[in-house]
Structure formats: C-alpha cells, structure tokens
C-alpha cells in the first residue's frame, strides 16, 4: 500500500508554530507517511522584522525550510496548517498564499483534500478558535474534508482541550507555555489516518 502524502504548512514569526509543525512532522512520520514540511512565504517588510529580535532570529532559523508552492497542495492527500492568530483571524501571509489557489480550486484539484489546523496566541482568549475556523472557512470553499482532533483521544484534554485543533499560549519571545507536544502529534496521526482511508481507493 502506498504511503499517504502529508503536507505541513506553517507561518511562524517568533518560532512557536514552527515548533508545532516540527512536532506534527514527527507524529506523521511515525505512521509511515510521506511528509513535506514547508512554510508560507514571509511578506512583512524587513523593517518590521528587524524591529523585533525574536522575529528576526526566527526568520534566520527557518530560512532553509522551503516555501510552499501550489504543486505541494496538488501532491498532498492531507494538509496540516499551523499559524498564529492575528486579530482573531489568519495572518496576511497565510491568506495571501491561499488567495493564489483559485486555479487549483477551479480545476477540482483541491477537492477532498483532508485538512487540519493548529494555532497560537499570546493569551488563552486571543482568537485561537476563531483563527482555526477562519482557516477551515477557506477549506470549505476548496471542498476539502476537515479533520479536527475533536476528543478522539484523552491527550486532547491534557493539551489545551481544543477540539477544533491544537492551540497554545506563547510569550513574546515565541516560547510555548502549554504542554501540547503529544496533542500535536495525535492530531497529525489522525489527519494521516483519515487521509489514508479517504484516498486509498483513488490510489488503486
């Protein structure tokens, strides 16, 4: 049986969502999935980045991670998005890329992609759930299949208890303040599992 193709796409200004993406990569690879770890292109001006030492340090840290391209979306059977909240919605870097997917959508190449999402904020009520739902709203237009972690495993309760997708609180330096590693890995494994079930018939 062919391994499931899982794409992980993150946007991370100070490092938290990069760490979450790496945990997701570990969880997915433990299932035998083919995993691509990519990042949304950074569109912020250099002046803004250099004004924040944590942001500037993270940009350097992730420079060798490939930027996501449309071919990656077409390749993937499952996709995990990880991005911080911006005023209760997605950062402009995320939406700017999603706005370029119209051609794939129009040709039906995003239909039935299995998708899941994660996020972070600087306080527990900083828009975490609404950010995940904002990502899922785009996915509804794709005709994608949303796979939230729900309460499919007890680890969800110990890693924030968010059934929409793993979320966490971070400090200004980007440090993750919650014990979410196992929750992220479970979400990744669940995404691979459902993607495998849905796309198995299409591969044979």
């Amino acid at each position: 049986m062919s391994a499931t193709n899982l794409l992980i796409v993150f946007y991370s200004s100070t490092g938290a969502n990069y760490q979450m993406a790496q945990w997701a990569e570990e969880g997915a690879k433990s299932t035998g999935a083919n995993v691509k770890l990519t990042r949304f292109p950074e569109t912020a001006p250099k002046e803004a980045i250099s004004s924040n030492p944590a942001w500037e340090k993270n940009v350097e840290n992730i420079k060798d991670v490939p930027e996501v391209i449309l071919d990656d979306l077409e390749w993937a059977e499952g996709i995990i998005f990880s991005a911080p909240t911006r005023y209760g919605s997605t950062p402009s870097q995320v939406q700017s890329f999603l706005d370029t997917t119209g051609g794939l959508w129009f040709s039906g190449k995003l239909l039935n992609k299995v998708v899941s999402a994660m996020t972070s904020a600087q306080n527990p009520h900083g828009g975490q759930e609404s950010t995940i739902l904002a990502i899922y709203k785009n996915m509804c237009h794709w005709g994608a299949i949303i796979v939230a972690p729900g309460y499919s495993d007890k680890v969800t309760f110990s890693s924030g208890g968010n059934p929409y997708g793993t979320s966490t609180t971070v400090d200004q330096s980007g440090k993750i303040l919650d014990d979410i590693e196992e929750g992220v890995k479970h979400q990744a494994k669940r995404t691979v599992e459902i993607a495998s079930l849905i796309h198995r018939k299409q591969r044979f």
Side-chain angles (χ1 to χ4, degrees):
M1 183 181 299
S2 299
T4 299
N5 294 336
L6 182 78
L7 176 67
I8 301 170
V9 195
F10 71 90
Y11 176 72
S12 188
S13 54
T14 55
N17 284 272
Y18 178 39
Q19 177 63 79
M20 293 167 73
Q22 290 176 300
W23 285 333
E25 180 184 29
E26 290 177 26
K29 283 185 173 179
S30 73
T31 71
N34 298 319
V35 183
K36 285 185 181 181
L37 178 65
T38 63
R39 59 185 173 89
F40 288 103
E42 180 60 83
T43 59
K46 291 182 179 179
E47 293 79 9
I49 296 170
S50 61
S51 69
N52 183 332
W55 195 355
E56 190 172 39
K57 179 181 178 181
N58 185 62
V59 166
E60 176 66 21
N61 191 37
I62 65 175
K63 66 180 182 180
D64 293 329
V65 179
E67 292 183 350
V68 65
I69 59 175
L70 295 178
D71 285 348
D72 294 329
L73 298 179
E74 190 170 352
W75 167 85
E77 295 167 317
I79 307 169
I80 295 175
F81 297 100
S82 188
T85 182
R86 288 290 185 272
Y87 298 109
S89 190
T90 54
S92 60
Q93 291 86 344
V94 175
Q95 195 59 47
S96 292
F97 177 78
L98 294 179
D99 286 345
T100 71
T101 63
L104 288 180
W105 164 81
F106 185 76
S107 59
K109 293 179 179 179
L110 299 176
L111 192 65
N112 295 334
K113 300 293 184 182
V114 171
V115 299
S116 201
M118 309 182 293
T119 193
S120 65
Q122 288 191 7
N123 61 73
H125 303 290
Q128 295 173 355
E129 292 176 359
S130 61
T131 297
I132 291 173
L133 292 173
I135 293 173
Y136 290 160
K137 180 177 65 177
N138 289 275
M139 301 302 101
C140 289
H141 286 264
W142 283 10
I145 298 168
I146 296 168
V147 176
Y151 297 111
S152 54
D153 190 279
K154 62 183 180 181
V155 71
T156 303
F157 293 98
S158 60
S159 61
N162 189 341
Y164 302 94
T166 307
S167 62
T168 186
T169 307
V170 301
D171 64 17
Q172 291 187 346
S173 70
K175 181 181 178 181
I176 293 173
L177 302 179
D178 305 299
D179 184 15
I180 60 166
E181 180 176 353
E182 293 307 312
V184 169
K185 290 179 178 179
H186 168 68
Q187 185 171 350
K189 293 174 185 177
R190 175 167 161 77
T191 304
V192 171
E193 176 188 8
I194 303 305
S196 177
L197 290 172
I198 289 172
H199 291 279
R200 182 179 300 165
K201 290 183 178 180
Q202 296 182 17
R203 293 199 297 264
F204 293 98

